[in-house]
């Protein structure tokens, strides 16, 4: 029976694996970012971006305990949170990273009030129908 490690994945190994897979930049997000509380056995949430056609997350050979989001195709609600609150893991293409991060932040912050309003209306409709 294989033992399960309670240590978080080594971020330098994760960055090296993403670079080998062709990622241009990556962010750590979720419970392992500043101001968050991660358990010792929490996975490492990473968002990475590719200049060309990106791989599927499961096609990237990463250490156990890494949850990969491909930023090129991430839903806006997730990409926006990563762009705003993610911690940079590595950046091999600063112009592309700045462009992606600023565009994603702008779009997310513009759309967020409308999405929140639609969520509120949906919850109210569900509650009113019992």
């Amino acid at each position: 029976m294989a033992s399960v490690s309670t240590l978080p994945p080594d971020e330098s190994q994760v960055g090296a694996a993403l670079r080998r897979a062709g990622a241009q930049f990556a962010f750590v997000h979720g419970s392992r970012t500043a101001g968050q509380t991660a358990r010792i056995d929490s996975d490492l949430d990473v968002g990475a971006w590719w200049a060309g056609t990106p791989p599927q997350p499961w096609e990237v050979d990463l250490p156990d305990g890494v949850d990969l989001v491909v930023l090129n195709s991430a839903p806006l609600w997730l990409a926006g949170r990563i762009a705003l609150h993610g911690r940079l893991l590595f950046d091999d293409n600063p112009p592309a990273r700045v462009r992606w991060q600023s565009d994603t932040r702008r779009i997310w912050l513009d759309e967020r009030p409308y999405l929140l309003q639609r969520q509120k209306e949906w919850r109210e409709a569900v509650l009113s129908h019992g």
Side-chain angles (χ1 to χ4, degrees):
M1 178 175 204
S3 65
V4 176
S5 173
T6 57
L7 296 175
D10 180 273
E11 290 186 14
S12 63
Q13 290 178 353
V14 173
L18 288 167
R19 283 178 162 127
R20 282 191 303 275
Q24 299 290 294
F25 59 84
F27 292 91
V28 173
H29 65 99
S31 64
R32 296 206 180 271
T33 57
Q36 302 295 318
T37 53
R39 296 185 325 260
I40 188 74
D41 61 342
S42 293
D43 61 357
L44 180 66
D45 297 309
V46 177
W49 185 88
W50 278 259
T53 303
Q56 295 297 323
W58 58 86
E59 296 173 336
V60 180
D61 186 22
L62 293 169
D64 288 341
V66 177
D67 184 15
L68 176 62
V69 172
V70 175
L71 296 174
N72 306 65
S73 57
L76 180 59
W77 65 268
L78 181 55
R81 288 176 37 200
I82 294 169
L84 283 171
H85 306 294
R87 175 174 48 83
L88 196 59
L89 180 62
F90 71 89
D91 185 2
D92 294 342
N93 190 339
R97 195 249 327 143
V98 168
R99 187 172 39 256
W100 175 85
Q101 196 169 19
S102 63
D103 287 350
T104 303
R105 284 176 174 176
R106 179 183 45 77
I107 294 167
W108 170 237
L109 292 172
D110 285 350
E111 293 296 321
R112 187 171 184 266
Y114 302 108
L115 294 172
L116 292 175
Q117 180 62 33
R118 285 194 290 266
Q119 287 177 340
K120 179 183 175 196
E121 292 167 359
W122 179 82
R123 280 192 306 271
E124 289 171 355
V126 168
L127 290 174
S128 71
H129 288 83

